[in-house]
Amino acid sequence: MRKASQGLRTVLAEKVHAYRIRRGLSQEALADACDLHRTYIGSIERCERNVTLSTLEILANALKVSVSDLLSDK
């Protein structure tokens, strides 16, 4: 099974965390907005998850950013 590069997972983790904090959301609040479990959000932020495209889209919508914003290292 192939995995996403650690670098890309790190970028996603940092971006989800940063946008979540910027929006004043707890992991639990973001999870509720995404209809995901709180521990799943934590595992994304710890680079433990290789999320699907549909999950990326859900996260982006909940954080009010684009998918490319979540994956860009800029």
Side-chain angles (χ1 to χ4, degrees):
M1 176 190 273
R2 288 188 267 172
K3 292 185 176 183
S5 72
Q6 183 63 35
L8 188 55
R9 284 195 311 261
T10 299
V11 167
L12 177 63
E14 291 171 353
K15 290 296 186 92
V16 168
H17 179 77
Y19 284 124
R20 178 177 65 76
I21 296 301
R22 203 174 293 162
R23 300 273 185 264
L25 298 170
S26 65
Q27 287 181 346
E28 187 171 7
L30 178 57
D32 287 346
C34 295
D35 197 27
L36 298 169
H37 196 275
R38 174 192 50 80
T39 59
Y40 189 81
I41 299 298
S43 65
I44 291 170
E45 291 185 2
R46 290 188 305 274
C47 302
E48 297 172 352
R49 295 287 177 170
N50 187 15
V51 302
T52 64
L53 291 173
S54 58
T55 301
L56 277 174
E57 185 176 32
I58 290 166
L59 286 165
N61 288 337
L63 293 167
K64 298 179 178 20
V65 298
S66 69
V67 170
S68 61
D69 288 336
L70 291 179
L71 298 176
S72 172
D73 63 354
K74 295 179 181 167

